[in-house]
Amino acid sequence: MIIRFILLAPAVPNSCLPIGMTPEDNQTKLVPVQPNKNLVHHILSLSSAKSREDDLVTANVVGFICITNVDIERGTFTVLSPAPRPLPQRCLLLSDVRFMDIK
């Protein structure tokens, strides 16, 4: 399960909204991400949360991995990790940070 953080902007005061509108929830939202080729070279953090029901936003991070290849047909990806497999948890958090290995 890959989860991505989306941080929304601070709440707008009601006085700044058009009449009849209400402010939307401005809390951090977790959005599932399907494997796709755009994930290559992205850095993922390994969350210590055991499942999505745990509070992924406040759970500790136990490490980081880099996606090196995505197999869309099988729905899997290959990672560059500083530790041997298996990964300690299955809850991963996608970041906008990319790692490009220059050889």
Side-chain angles (χ1 to χ4, degrees):
M1 171 177 19
I2 301 173
I3 306 297
R4 183 177 100 191
F5 277 115
I6 296 180
L7 299 173
L8 300 178
V12 175
N14 289 340
S15 61
C16 293
L17 294 174
I19 296 175
M21 288 195 73
T22 58
E24 293 186 21
D25 183 16
N26 67 332
Q27 299 297 317
T28 301
K29 298 191 188 246
L30 300 171
V31 179
V33 175
Q34 297 299 323
N36 62 56
K37 290 291 183 184
N38 293 334
L39 294 176
V40 174
H41 302 296
H42 273 275
I43 302 295
L44 302 175
S45 59
L46 299 160
S47 174
S48 63
K50 303 270 189 235
S51 67
R52 187 175 178 160
E53 288 73 34
D54 289 346
D55 193 3
L56 290 172
V57 176
T58 60
N60 292 332
V61 172
V62 296
F64 298 93
I65 58 174
C66 179
I67 296 180
T68 57
N69 187 29
V70 177
D71 186 348
I72 296 173
E73 293 175 7
R74 293 177 38 198
T76 61
F77 50 84
T78 306
V79 300
L80 178 62
S81 172
R85 62 180 172 188
L87 295 176
Q89 301 297 337
R90 296 200 47 162
C91 292
L92 306 173
L93 302 171
L94 177 64
S95 73
D96 288 334
V97 177
R98 289 179 171 232
F99 171 74
M100 302 301 254
D101 188 17
I102 301 173
K103 295 181 180 180

